Every structure is written in C-alpha cells, then in structure tokens.
Amino acid sequence: MEETPSRILTYGGEQIHVNLIPRARPGTTLRIKVHPDLRVEASVPDGTTEADLDKALHQKTRWIWQKLRDFRAVQEHATPRTYVSGESHFYLGRRHLLKVHHQPDTPETVRMLRGRLEVSVQERHALRIQKMLELWYFTRAQEVFRSRLNALLPTTLWVTKPPALKLQLMQTQWGNCSPGGTITLNPHLVKAPRDCIDYVILHELCHLKEHNHGPAFWGLMERAMPDWERHKAQLDGMAEMMLQK
C-alpha cells in the first residue's frame, strides 16, 4: 500500500481527520484508536490494500464519531483545577472531595480520610498543593500497581518471571511494554477503578508473549480477561477526567 498520512471521513455533517500510522508487521490487525484529546489514529499493517483500509474505516466511521462525541461531552464538563477545598479528585474510581488546611506551623501532609483528600499546607499556593497531590498519587500508584501485578501473575501462565515495573507520566498511554519486558504504567491510572487498572496491566502482560496487536494477542487477552472491552470502554470514558490538571 502506498503510504498515505491521513484520511478524511464524513459522518453527521462532520469531517473526521484520521492519522494513518504504518506498521511494519504484515498479517496483523488494523486497529483504530480515538484519544481523549480527540486525535484519531489508525495503525495500518504493512501490506494493507487501499480497498481494505477504506472498508475498515467505513465500518468504523459511526463508532469513531460516537467516541469523539463522548470525549467532547466530557471536555465540556471539565474545568481547570484551582486546588481549593470542594474540588473532586479521583482515586481508584471514586470521587474524593479536596479539603485544604492552612497550617503554617505544622508539617505538610496529604491523607485520605472519610471520603476526602485532606491536604495540610504551610502556605496556601495552588502549585504547591498540586505538587503535593501528584507526589501522593505517585506513591499510591507504586503500591497499588505492584499489588495488582502480583495478584494477576498467577493467572498469566505464560509469564515465567515477574517483569520489571516502572512509572512514567505519559500524554496518550496508560501503559506500555518494552522489547526487554519492562512494563511502564502511567501513575494517573491509579485514579481509575481497580478493574480498569487490571485491564491495563493484563494488556501489557499479554505483550510479554505477543509483541503486536495481532489475532494471537487479542485471543490471549480474551482468555485472560473475557470482559476486557467493557473495562477499556469505562477507562476511555473517564480518561479526560483522570488526566485533568
């Protein structure tokens, strides 16, 4: 197939720009992804014909339009955070109200208490509160992700030894798996429900055996988590709020 950088789809009177990403793996499945920032990408395996590409995009046009509509609806309700008492912040899929305490003479702390995130600061600066919360989330993410990975490993019989695990803030990914077998997770993922966290971890564990998104990968994913599509859809729907700053 001659490389083409993009396609324009039309649905509901709207033009949808689809970025085409060539993949040098013939025989794998063409995958389409709609990102929370409204980017649409199609991973196109080497050898895909123009006719097959057009057919796949045509079949998915309505689904793409619906995903874009859903993400726009979330964006309309997402307001920039000011890090003051009363804001909602997520942890493990649940909303927690932020309560900021101005205590100049006590150590600065973050703790979760009876459905609230309690932050004690010596000076009431939004950037300081933001950084304290980010550190708190990062520490919690380390604990939660390691715990969930250990809980899932007995079910993934193809994994012969526990993989290395690291955390990294990412713009458009919840996780990835390096060629050397290191699993990297986005610390923002700790804001999602546990089943969504398990979905991302299992997805990356499947990559330890199947390094692309071909039929064998999705078959393995189906066996590991038969209802993975439901959890992926839930995570996609919450992504804008999870990544909100």
Side-chain angles (χ1 to χ4, degrees):
M1 185 189 79
E2 182 180 351
E3 288 191 4
T4 307
S6 64
R7 282 284 198 280
I8 301 294
L9 307 178
T10 302
Y11 190 88
E14 177 183 349
Q15 285 194 331
I16 301 170
H17 186 90
V18 182
N19 293 319
L20 305 182
I21 304 176
R23 297 296 188 205
R25 294 194 181 103
T28 56
T29 305
L30 187 148
R31 308 290 302 182
I32 299 172
K33 184 168 185 179
V34 182
H35 295 277
D37 61 4
L38 307 183
R39 287 179 301 110
V40 183
E41 294 179 336
S43 298
V44 185
D46 190 29
T48 302
T49 66
E50 295 284 347
D52 286 343
L53 174 60
D54 289 339
K55 180 181 178 182
L57 292 175
H58 177 74
Q59 290 175 339
K60 285 287 192 176
T61 298
R62 176 177 171 79
W63 175 84
I64 294 170
W65 178 83
Q66 289 175 326
K67 294 293 290 183
L68 288 171
R69 181 192 60 184
D70 292 343
F71 282 136
R72 287 192 186 104
V74 172
Q75 286 184 350
E76 288 176 1
H77 294 90
T79 56
R81 295 197 183 281
T82 55
Y83 294 92
V84 296
S85 294
E87 282 186 343
S88 292
H89 292 258
F90 284 88
Y91 177 67
L92 294 180
R94 297 183 62 185
R95 289 180 183 269
H96 296 270
L97 291 181
L98 177 64
K99 179 65 176 177
V100 178
H101 300 280
H102 182 211
Q103 297 177 323
D105 300 322
T106 61
E108 296 185 322
T109 60
V110 179
R111 62 176 183 164
M112 193 163 51
L113 180 67
R114 293 190 293 274
R116 296 194 305 269
L117 275 174
E118 304 263 358
V119 181
S120 297
V121 289
Q122 295 178 352
E123 295 186 32
R124 200 189 294 268
H125 291 313
L127 182 59
R128 177 60 181 167
I129 298 167
Q130 177 186 351
K131 295 303 180 185
M132 288 177 64
L133 282 172
E134 287 175 353
L135 179 59
W136 181 86
Y137 275 119
F138 195 92
T139 302
R140 287 297 183 109
Q142 289 178 312
E143 298 170 359
V144 171
F145 296 164
R146 176 56 64 185
S147 174
R148 295 314 305 155
L149 176 62
N150 290 339
L152 293 168
L153 282 174
T155 70
T156 55
L157 301 181
W158 62 90
V159 181
T160 57
K161 64 178 182 178
L165 176 66
K166 72 175 187 177
L167 273 63
Q168 179 180 323
L169 289 171
M170 293 178 276
Q171 293 278 339
T172 61
Q173 288 181 295
W174 292 117
N176 62 53
C177 182
S178 74
T182 296
I183 290 177
T184 302
L185 297 176
N186 190 331
H188 284 300
L189 182 62
V190 79
K191 302 173 185 178
R194 193 190 73 174
D195 286 340
C196 294
I197 296 172
D198 287 357
Y199 153 71
V200 175
I201 294 175
L202 281 169
H203 185 108
E204 303 312 328
L205 288 172
C206 287
H207 277 311
L208 293 175
K209 180 174 175 63
E210 302 293 339
H211 302 295
N212 56 56
H213 288 127
F217 171 87
W218 295 111
L220 188 62
M221 189 70 202
E222 188 76 23
R223 292 191 295 275
M225 178 179 270
D227 57 349
W228 68 267
E229 289 182 281
R230 178 165 63 88
H231 302 309
K232 179 183 184 302
Q234 183 181 15
L235 185 59
D236 288 345
M238 300 177 72
E240 188 71 21
M241 291 181 288
M242 299 293 102
L243 299 171
Q244 184 183 1
K245 291 186 177 181

